[in-house]
Amino acid sequence: MLTLYDYLDSGNGYKVRLLLHQLGRPYTLVETDILQGETRTPEFLRLNPNGRIPLLQLEDGTCLAESNAILHYLAQGTPLLPAERLAHAQVLQWMFFEQYNHEPNIATSRFWLRHGGPPDDLRRAQLEQKRALGYAALDVMERELAARPWFVAGRYTVADIALYAYTHVADEGGFDLARYPAIRAWLQRVREQPGYLSFAAH
Ligand SMILES: N[C@@H](CCC(=O)N[C@@H](CS)C(=O)NCC(=O)O)C(=O)O
């Protein structure tokens, strides 16, 4: 049985829960409260020296961190990760985009707004900067999705899961999706996928 260390308000964790649900893979959930420092205890740091969830523990005890690496691992050999060389690399392209351009701006803004912040002028300036960069990432997605229904290979893949997680709650980070019709239509297509799981469910 797989074990997932996770925090239910985490979009990075939600990516993994959504995929596990869609693949029909059972797992044990270990809720780990990031607000109480539970990812920074000596016990947890032995499992993930980077002190973060999501963390997937395999049947043999090996641990795998980083949400998109976990998606990549779990989806191999399934239709959600194309085997064809270029399409496979394009899935990685969008997952790296998610981690570099999207998540650090949209997810971090959401976290600060939900869990207290920005407390000072510096944080406020950082939030403004993240707002601009987050909208730039959404602009890229909108252009892509205006031309095709899915990011890669004409079908739903883990690239869509990676980008869906924080896009569908972007409003909680102060991002208005009203001016992004192609993104909103894609969010609906994701919600209609078999085995869809809503945020914070498991
Ligand atoms: N790049 C990592 C980011 C993981 C991450 O930032 N996790 C946050 C929750 S979303 C966390 O565990 N924070 C707790 C901490 O930093 O102590 C991924 O995609 O999994």
Side-chain angles (χ1 to χ4, degrees):
M1 176 77 99
L2 297 168
T3 302
L4 179 67
Y5 292 82
D6 200 0
Y7 176 66
L8 292 182
D9 196 41
S10 162
N12 286 316
Y14 169 62
K15 296 172 192 173
V16 179
R17 279 179 274 121
L18 174 56
L19 177 61
L20 285 166
H21 200 255
Q22 293 189 308
L23 294 178
R25 296 278 306 260
Y27 63 97
T28 302
L29 177 73
V30 180
E31 288 195 53
T32 310
D33 191 342
I34 63 172
L35 302 179
Q36 301 299 323
E38 289 181 8
T39 52
R40 300 296 166 139
T41 63
E43 296 73 30
F44 191 88
L45 290 171
R46 269 196 287 279
L47 301 176
N48 181 9
N50 197 28
R52 287 178 170 82
I53 57 84
L55 182 70
L56 185 71
Q57 191 165 36
L58 309 182
E59 286 87 349
D60 70 358
T62 308
C63 286
L64 183 62
E66 291 295 329
S67 57
N68 289 350
I70 299 171
L71 294 187
H72 186 262
Y73 173 79
L74 290 172
Q76 287 198 46
T78 81
L80 295 179
L81 181 60
E84 191 272 318
R85 189 174 171 187
L86 180 61
H88 190 105
Q90 286 169 330
V91 167
L92 296 179
Q93 172 196 314
W94 284 109
M95 295 209 291
F96 292 140
F97 165 82
E98 190 268 344
Q99 283 287 291
Y100 189 78
N101 297 89
H102 187 286
E103 193 260 15
N105 300 306
I106 296 177
T108 306
S109 300
R110 174 179 177 268
F111 186 84
W112 285 350
L113 292 180
R114 281 170 79 77
H115 300 293
D120 54 29
D121 287 348
L122 176 63
R123 255 316 162 70
R124 215 167 326 229
Q126 289 176 335
L127 194 58
E128 280 308 305
Q129 192 186 28
K130 287 186 180 299
R131 185 70 41 86
L133 292 170
Y135 273 123
L138 292 170
D139 289 346
V140 171
M141 291 173 65
E142 178 70 15
R143 274 197 298 277
E144 194 68 18
L145 292 168
R148 51 187 59 81
W150 304 106
F151 283 96
V152 182
R155 66 173 198 263
Y156 179 66
T157 68
V158 282
D160 298 285
I161 293 182
L163 282 162
Y164 177 80
Y166 284 110
T167 305
H168 87 296
V169 291
D171 60 316
E172 297 173 1
F175 294 90
D176 183 3
L177 295 185
R179 62 177 150 115
Y180 294 108
I183 291 180
R184 284 188 282 110
W186 164 77
L187 292 176
Q188 184 56 31
R189 284 193 291 279
V190 173
R191 279 193 286 270
E192 289 166 359
Q193 290 305 298
Y196 177 77
L197 181 77
S198 60
F199 202 15
H202 55 92

